[in-house]
Amino acid sequence: MKSALSELTPTYEAEHQPGFRISENTVILGHGSSLWSFVSTEILRWGVKTRSGFSVESGAPSNRGSVGSPVVVGDRWWLVARLGSFRLHEPVQILEVVDRPELKGFTYGTLAGHPVRGRETFLVRHEPDDSVHLTIRSCTRPAPGPWRLVFPIALLAQRFYRKRYLRALSG
């Protein structure tokens, strides 16, 4: 199968810069129009993140979207990861939204204060054989400053959450 990401703008294919780690995973979520209806709505409303244990909070009063509404290019958000009473607020900005009949998703870029630098893309695709696929791609490197010291822990957290993302929209 051709990568769903190859249909996005060339900036995503050109991220092979020194120091970035690239991860891409695709899973088949299932088959059918009812599954597609569910995942194509959830993906554009942060469902892959919220169903994986994150909460999403508005990061700027100028956001055009609101929590629970579809993502909008340019909006800034706080992704909040919880571990017990510990809360980690990760600032991000929506860089691209894809909203086509057979392909939906978005990419966000990390902002200053996020534990890593880079981008993360979440796409769902409805294939001609009626299968529904989820692709997750990240391109990250250590953030500057004190976050650089905890980058190995951030990589472990990424692997943990990636597994959750790949199961989050299974219905």
Side-chain angles (χ1 to χ4, degrees):
M1 178 183 97
K2 182 171 90 171
S3 170
L5 293 162
S6 65
E7 296 186 19
L8 296 179
T9 57
T11 56
Y12 301 104
E13 298 302 333
E15 288 181 333
H16 299 282
Q17 300 173 23
F20 278 94
R21 292 174 172 261
I22 296 175
S23 171
E24 183 174 331
N25 302 93
T26 298
V27 295
I28 298 174
L29 297 173
H31 294 78
S33 58
S34 62
L35 176 63
W36 174 247
S37 179
F38 168 73
V39 300
S40 64
T41 299
E42 283 294 301
I43 197 80
L44 294 176
R45 287 178 165 77
W46 292 104
V48 71
K49 295 294 273 190
T50 59
R51 291 171 169 272
S52 298
F54 282 84
S55 60
V56 179
E57 300 172 0
S58 181
S62 61
N63 276 2
R64 291 164 296 208
S66 60
V67 175
S69 66
V71 293
V72 176
V73 171
D75 280 0
R76 293 178 175 220
W77 297 92
W78 289 99
L79 306 178
V80 184
R82 291 176 170 78
L83 182 60
S85 61
F86 177 74
R87 305 280 186 269
L88 177 62
H89 289 74
E90 303 173 347
V92 300
Q93 182 171 9
I94 303 297
L95 301 176
E96 182 168 15
V97 175
V98 177
D99 190 1
R100 299 199 324 239
E102 79 293 345
L103 182 68
K104 301 197 184 270
F106 67 96
T107 297
Y108 66 72
T110 63
L111 299 172
H114 197 288
V116 299
R117 280 279 161 86
R119 297 175 177 201
E120 198 158 36
T121 299
F122 302 91
L123 288 171
V124 291
R125 177 182 214 103
H126 196 188
E127 295 290 345
D129 69 357
D130 211 24
S131 63
V132 179
H133 299 240
L134 168 65
T135 298
I136 299 167
R137 181 172 196 239
S138 63
C139 177
T140 58
R141 68 178 180 196
W147 287 119
R148 181 174 288 290
L149 300 173
V150 297
F151 187 63
I153 295 168
L155 291 176
L156 290 173
Q158 281 181 335
R159 281 190 217 116
F160 171 79
Y161 278 107
R162 236 179 255 127
K163 288 178 184 174
R164 285 184 163 200
Y165 298 156
L166 293 170
R167 293 187 310 258
L169 299 178
S170 295

